[in-house]
Amino acid sequence: MNSMMRKLITRRLCRAAVGAAVLALIAVPTAGAQPSPASGARYVALGDSGAATTGVLNIDPTAPLLCARSTANAPALIADALGISYEDRTCSSAKIRDLSGRQSGVVPPQFEALGPDTDIVTLHIGANDADMTKFIGSCHAAAVTGSCAAAADPAWDAAIDAITPAYTSALDEIHRRAPKATIFVDGWPTYFDPGTCSAMVGLLADDAAYIQSKFDRLNAVVSREATAHGAIYIDTRQASTGHGMCSAADTRWFDPVVGGDTMLPYHPTFAGHRGVAALIVATIRSTDAVPR
């Protein structure tokens, strides 16, 4: 693999969210999120790009442009399926701290949408806190000359485990701000089924499995803390088996490094958003969060 291809991988992985935001600036006029009622929206979606974006497609012109938020993302599909009003505060590149603070100094805190009238909260966040993009980029770079799996970096596990205090505090704060709400936490689906493909630009099969194992570790952390802090965890891993980045374009839940419609590798496709939304809707309907 030549130096030009290595630069392509790094650019796509490390600057994907920024690129989508820039394209959004070109495509739509400046607009901001509408203020939430003090009582809170009935359904509030919180999270990062894994819940927010479909890349350069279907950009929501009413959302902060930095968020690259989609009108066809999982929160929109969930609200439509349940027939309820909602406020989508998900934002690309968001970290847990951005739930309560202003992201990049411009995007209002996501928690502002919560209130005593909020019945449902969906939460998908933590990958940016765990520096997943940085470590994945390093893994792709290492695969050029060898294997990242063969030289496992213990800092990756440490970064994943380190999100725990902030994550649990966020769950507790959601309960405080929206005391009657049920919190639904969805994990990270399957990125890699066994093997690899040309669309992953030289990534070795062992390294693909290694990267998937780190998302599985992130799922384990989030699942454990969600359950311990009164939230309902939704496992999206099993249902997405067979829909990894090397699957057919119309069935994969995430786009690969090259050849994706969203121009955002390791980010959900429309099929991915539909799949996650269906799992969340089924779980919500199995509870008393929405009157039947």
Side-chain angles (χ1 to χ4, degrees):
M1 183 180 297
N2 59 32
S3 60
M4 181 177 295
M5 187 60 69
R6 288 196 294 270
K7 290 179 181 178
L8 171 64
I9 292 173
T10 301
R11 186 183 308 117
R12 284 178 177 267
L13 289 172
C14 299
R15 299 181 180 177
V18 175
V22 170
L23 286 171
L25 282 168
I26 297 172
V28 298
T30 301
Q34 296 299 314
S36 303
S39 58
R42 187 177 181 199
Y43 161 37
V44 177
L46 307 172
D48 58 23
S49 58
T53 192
T54 51
V56 297
L57 305 173
N58 295 85
I59 294 290
D60 182 357
T62 70
L65 295 176
L66 175 66
C67 296
R69 189 183 301 149
S70 173
T71 58
N73 62 14
L77 298 173
I78 292 165
D80 182 65
L82 296 175
I84 59 175
S85 60
Y86 79 116
E87 184 156 352
D88 187 355
R89 287 300 187 98
T90 60
C91 190
S92 295
S93 300
K95 293 186 174 183
I96 296 170
R97 69 188 181 207
D98 300 316
L99 297 173
S100 57
R102 296 186 71 86
Q103 184 175 340
S104 300
V106 295
V107 181
Q110 296 188 28
F111 279 166
E112 285 186 354
L114 300 171
D117 287 347
T118 302
D119 292 320
I120 296 170
V121 176
T122 54
L123 178 66
H124 180 90
I125 202 163
N128 294 318
D129 297 84
D131 287 329
M132 299 298 278
T133 296
K134 181 188 79 172
F135 287 109
I136 290 170
S138 297
C139 199
H140 275 266
V144 174
T145 55
S147 167
C148 66
D153 186 351
W156 198 346
D157 284 350
I160 293 170
D161 295 344
I163 77 168
T164 300
Y167 195 86
T168 57
S169 294
L171 289 170
D172 292 342
E173 182 63 11
I174 294 171
H175 284 302
R176 188 188 72 80
R177 290 176 179 248
K180 73 172 186 174
T182 304
I183 305 171
F184 297 90
V185 171
D186 61 297
W188 287 262
T190 300
Y191 288 81
F192 292 101
D193 296 296
T196 186
C197 58
S198 60
M200 297 311 297
V201 195
L203 188 70
L204 303 175
D206 285 349
D207 293 343
Y210 178 67
I211 293 172
Q212 181 60 59
S213 75
K214 300 309 173 185
F215 281 104
D216 292 343
R217 187 182 186 96
L218 184 60
N219 278 333
V221 170
V222 168
S223 171
R224 180 188 68 228
E225 300 309 320
T227 302
H229 289 260
I232 296 175
Y233 177 75
I234 301 169
D235 180 4
T236 60
R237 178 79 161 87
Q238 182 175 358
S240 56
T241 300
H243 299 282
M245 288 186 286
C246 289
S247 300
D250 60 343
T251 61
R252 64 189 176 218
W253 284 25
F254 290 94
D255 267 339
V257 174
V258 295
D261 292 334
T262 67
M263 295 179 65
L264 288 178
Y266 287 87
H267 281 72
T269 61
F270 289 110
H273 279 288
R274 289 194 298 269
V276 169
L279 293 172
I280 295 175
V281 167
T283 304
I284 292 174
R285 284 178 170 159
S286 71
T287 71
D288 295 326
V290 177
R292 294 181 179 87

